[in-house]
Amino acid sequence: MDGIVLHQILQWHHLLSSESEHPKTTVAGLQDNTLADGLFHAATWVAVVIGLWILWRRTTDWCWAISGTAFLGWILVGWGLFNLVEGIINHEILGIHHVREGAGHQTAYDLGFLAFGALLVFGGWLLTRLGERDLANPS
């Protein structure tokens, strides 16, 4: 979600946009940022494929994987955890980039990003609990 919505559609930031060697205001800098974004997104899709393969190879002990509600919940938890980790490490600790570079209120955008990640984790967790409850008490 972050890569597609914030990096590509809204073009608020890129993976290397805070690095002085790769300014997004030059063609060469934008090419470097676009390449870094693409490599990063390719790596995340490899992680998605591996996760789906693990899910496909699941045992019957993974009851939560059977419920569509719980499955959607775990997807939301994963997206939220990714946003929290990426936001804390890349935005706050390393300062590689921020959610909306140079737009003013940079900290507010970064905190909003973290809050949205936490909301995804919490909402996803609630869905997994609901899915598990539905499996435990079939109608």
Side-chain angles (χ1 to χ4, degrees), residues 23-105:
K24 61 184 180 178
T25 55
T26 67
V27 172
L30 190 55
Q31 288 174 330
D32 290 344
N33 273 288
T34 303
L35 176 62
D37 286 348
L39 293 172
F40 177 72
H41 295 144
T44 59
W45 276 107
V46 168
V48 167
V49 169
I50 291 169
L52 289 173
W53 181 79
I54 290 170
L55 182 62
W56 177 70
R57 302 280 300 170
R58 73 185 188 274
T59 68
T60 56
D61 295 336
W62 289 18
C63 295
W64 54 265
I66 297 168
S67 164
T69 303
F71 182 66
L72 176 60
W74 284 116
I75 289 172
L76 294 177
V77 167
W79 284 345
L81 285 174
F82 172 84
N83 282 359
L84 288 171
V85 170
E86 195 264 339
I88 291 168
I89 292 174
N90 290 340
H91 300 173
E92 304 308 319
I93 295 173
L94 299 177
I96 294 173
H97 66 267
H98 297 277
V99 174
R100 191 144 190 217
E101 298 277 342
H105 307 294

Side-chain angles (χ1 to χ4, degrees), residues 1-8 13 40-41 82-83 86 91 97 99 113:
M1 287 180 61
D2 166 46
I4 293 169
V5 175
L6 299 181
H7 289 234
Q8 295 172 327
H13 71 276
F40 177 72
H41 295 144
F82 172 84
N83 282 359
E86 195 264 339
H91 300 173
H97 66 267
V99 174
F113 182 81

Side-chain angles (χ1 to χ4, degrees), residues 111-131:
L111 292 174
F113 182 81
L114 293 173
F116 181 66
L119 184 66
L120 286 174
V121 170
F122 182 69
W125 179 79
L126 288 177
L127 280 177
T128 63
R129 305 304 298 166
L130 181 65

